[in-house]
Each structure stands twice: as structure tokens, then as C-alpha cells.
Amino acid sequence: MRGTRPDASLTAGTDDGFRPAAPPAWTRWLPFVYVAFVLLLEAAQREEWAVSLFLVALPAIAAYAYGPVVVAALTVLAILLEGLLAAVSHHLGETHHVTADIATAVVGILATALAAHRRSQERHLVHANSVAEALMRALLRPVPHQVGNVLAAGLYRPSEAGTMVGGDLFDIRATRTGERAIIGDVRGKGLPAVRTVAAILGTFREAAYEAGDLPAISARLERGLVREAEEIRDAELFATAVLIEYDSLAHRVTVTNHGHVEPVLISRGEVRTLQGPPALPLGLGHLAAAERPVPCSHRFTRGDVLLLVTDGLVEARDTGGDFYPLVERLRHRFEGRPAPGPADVVDFLNTDLPRHTPHLHDDVAMLAIAPHGRT
């Protein structure tokens, strides 16, 4: 898949971006099955039981799946059937049948109001998720198939169904000095993490075009995260991150790792991690103010794929408690075979990870890039 792919509990719609998931089919059929059950029970009984009284529950059953108009119509149907069954049994007009009709009307009014309220809540949910989608696309913008001199593919999988964005982030930019990318993981969850993600990405998207090298970008991100920590009054705020820069003329990729998961390089049928001098996570630079991040360069030519992931991937556990073996799985799939593209790598992980870990406990983000053009 070429681009950012969020998981969601809502499905895409045509008019307003999202629509609520349809209720289960059995809830839509249940009111009619219930009516058929009552009629069969009425026909099968040998003694005079007021079976029609069961129809009082029909409007409430319908309110689970239908809107107010259908619920109101089924309420009228229930009252008519009650009267019909009472007439057949020659009890029409008796007190308990009149009481049942009144009770059915009251339940129908309440069920109709409930169905109307549910539809209103659904419309509110549609609007809220449309806003969330816009936020997600503003923060984690879809990764184009080609960015400057590289091919790219990205994926974001939230740990909680229905969420659009969390504490993971990635972005890639084509600049005059080369293609620059970031992937990171912010400490914390929820709205505070989303705010920090927005701050980091905003700083990166500005610094990527202006800063002279990766350490300079790191310094800008460090200062921005310190300001963010002061504004939200969180002295323990930090983010792990990997910054990369691709030089298409030198055929090299430069990496600066701020306490993040090491990048993985698929090159000439081999899979290996790119290890280099570690640096403190962003936001904790004051603990070693005299030390400057040390970039590490690696050869990166056509046919290679560089994979950046967050710890939600490598720390995903199976039912036995074992972590997802990223490098081993990539070797099993790509080692000794023709060079894959970034989308091939991302698609493989997107299908292989759920086999290992049915339920994620942390967000997962990944970004894959490959040189494009001259070797």
C-alpha cells in the first residue's frame, strides 16, 4: 500500500467521509422473527393465554437497529396485531388488552425517542471521526509513492480500533540537500501525545528545508520539545526518533538515532540492522549538553530498501510472550530474492504482524524508502 493507512472501526463513506458500522444482520431481522414467533405461539396454544401481550416488547427490539420512523411504524403494527389477536379470541375491549395497547404505545414512544437519539449520536460520531481523519491527514500525511529521488511507503496501525493517530510519527521531505525523513515515538498517549506529535512534525517540516545537517535538525527538534514540555508542564516529556538524509549523488544515507529502534537495511539479498553511535532521546539532551549527535553514513544504492519502524512493531508479543522477530521475518521473506520495493516490505509486515500478534498493545508506524533513478 502506498501511503498512510489507518485502521478504523468506521468505514469510509461517500458523502461525509465516514459512516457508522451497520448493525449486525440479526438485529435487523429480529423484530420480524419476533412477530412471527408470537403469531406461531398464538396459533399453537391450546389454552387461552394472552400471547399478544408479548408484542409490547416489539418497539424496544426494533430500536436496536432501526430509526425512529420504522420504530414508530412497528409500534402501530404491534398495536394493530394485539387488537386483531384479541378480536380473534373474542376478548377485544377487555381491560388487560386495553392496558396492553396503552403499554405498547408508551413503550413505542420511548423506543422511537431512543432510536432518534441513537441516530443523532451516530451523526455526531460521523462528524467527530471526519474531524479526526482531517487531523490525522494533517499530521501523518499520506506518503507519496515517490519523494524526490526515493520511492517510499508508509503505514500507521493504531493499537486501539477507532483511533486515527497516537504517539507515533513519521514524515519524509525532498529538500535541496537530499531527501530527509523522521520516524519517532512520543512518550505518553492520548491527546497530550497527539499535541507533541504535532509539535515535532511541525518543527521537522520547517527545519528539514533550512538546517545544514542532521545534528542541526536534531538541535531544532530538541529545543522545540523542551518548549513543549514547559508549556504542558511535563518535565519527563521526551521522544525517541531516527533522522535520515539520503544523498543521491554520493549514494549514501546518513542516520542519526535518538534512542529509537535501529533502522533495517535490505541490500543485495541481505537483511541487517544499521547500528551507529546512539544519542539521547529528543527532550533529554540537557542530560548531556556537551555531546552532539553523531551521524553515521551507509552506502545506499538502487535495489536497497531502508526500513524505519517504531517499537510497537518489535515489541509486539505473540500468545507465548515472544517479541515479533523483525529481522528474522524479513530475512525469511526477502533474503536471497530479487530486490523488493518499499511497498512490498510494508505490505509484507502489514500482513505478517497480525499472524504473530492478533491484538496490538502499542501503535505501530513504519516508513520504507528506496533509491530511485541512477545507481
Side-chain angles (χ1 to χ4, degrees):
M1 187 76 167
R2 297 165 182 172
T4 306
R5 296 179 297 184
D7 286 349
S9 61
L10 298 178
T11 55
T14 55
D15 297 327
D16 38 27
F18 287 90
R19 62 176 181 268
W26 67 268
T27 62
R28 298 194 296 271
W29 285 104
L30 184 58
F32 305 100
V33 173
Y34 186 76
V35 170
F37 167 76
V38 172
L39 294 177
L40 288 175
L41 189 61
E42 174 74 18
Q45 69 166 342
R46 296 181 179 180
E47 300 181 6
E48 291 188 2
W49 287 84
V51 175
S52 62
L53 298 182
F54 287 127
L55 292 171
V56 173
L58 181 60
I61 295 174
Y64 278 95
Y66 290 99
V69 174
V70 176
V71 173
L74 289 176
T75 300
V76 174
L77 174 64
I79 295 174
L80 292 176
L81 286 176
E82 287 173 350
L84 177 62
L85 294 177
V88 170
S89 59
H90 306 290
H91 295 293
L92 184 64
E94 292 187 359
T95 303
H96 64 281
H97 283 289
V98 175
T99 303
D101 291 340
I102 296 173
T104 303
V106 172
V107 173
I109 292 172
L110 295 177
T112 301
L114 176 62
H117 177 70
R118 181 173 57 81
R119 284 291 172 89
S120 175
Q121 291 296 101
E122 288 177 353
R123 287 192 293 269
H124 176 74
L125 184 62
V126 167
H127 175 72
N129 280 275
S130 297
V131 173
E133 181 194 25
L135 171 64
M136 182 275 294
R137 293 188 179 278
L139 294 180
L140 299 181
R141 299 173 184 174
V143 177
H145 173 56
Q146 182 175 348
V147 182
N149 295 305
V150 299
L151 302 177
L155 172 70
Y156 178 81
R157 290 180 65 99
S159 59
E160 298 181 9
T163 59
M164 297 292 167
V165 64
D168 289 3
L169 60 98
F170 59 80
D171 197 16
I172 182 169
R173 299 280 146 174
T175 72
R176 290 177 297 178
T177 56
E179 288 66 42
R180 289 171 166 172
I182 184 174
I183 191 167
D185 188 357
V186 172
R187 172 188 168 275
K189 295 183 179 295
L191 291 178
V194 174
R195 169 176 170 161
T196 305
V197 165
I200 292 175
L201 288 176
T203 302
F204 171 78
R205 287 165 181 165
E206 180 181 354
Y209 294 97
E210 299 177 1
D213 55 11
L214 291 185
I217 297 178
S218 296
R220 289 278 297 274
L221 292 171
E222 176 73 23
R223 293 193 296 270
L225 201 53
V226 169
R227 289 194 300 269
E228 179 70 12
E230 292 175 350
E231 290 182 7
I232 65 176
R233 298 182 180 179
D234 184 357
E236 299 180 353
L237 181 64
F238 69 87
T240 64
V242 168
L243 296 170
I244 68 167
E245 179 181 84
Y246 171 59
D247 187 338
S248 60
L249 297 179
H251 310 302
R252 301 193 70 81
V253 63
T254 303
V255 179
T256 299
N257 192 333
H258 292 269
H260 197 72
V261 181
E262 294 171 336
V264 178
L265 179 65
I266 304 174
S267 177
R268 297 175 178 82
E270 296 183 357
V271 180
R272 60 187 176 92
T273 58
L274 296 185
Q275 300 180 350
L280 288 171
L282 299 172
L284 301 180
H286 61 278
L287 300 178
E291 297 182 9
R292 196 167 185 259
V294 179
C296 186
S297 295
H298 307 268
R299 185 163 178 78
F300 193 50
T301 61
R302 191 170 185 180
D304 296 346
V305 175
L306 182 65
L307 175 67
L308 310 174
V309 302
T310 56
D311 58 6
L313 176 65
V314 296
E315 294 180 0
R317 296 176 182 265
D318 61 11
T319 54
D322 296 326
F323 292 121
Y324 181 72
L326 174 61
V327 175
E328 287 77 4
R329 295 302 299 156
L330 291 174
R331 285 172 178 165
H332 175 76
R333 175 63 179 84
F334 297 110
E335 199 166 52
R337 300 186 182 185
D344 298 324
V345 176
V346 169
D347 283 340
F348 167 71
L349 294 176
N350 190 35
T351 55
D352 191 58
L353 179 61
R355 300 190 186 106
H356 178 86
T357 307
H359 304 288
L360 294 174
H361 298 286
D362 195 5
D363 296 348
V364 171
M366 61 185 79
L367 177 65
I369 65 170
H372 179 67
R374 298 180 302 168
T375 57

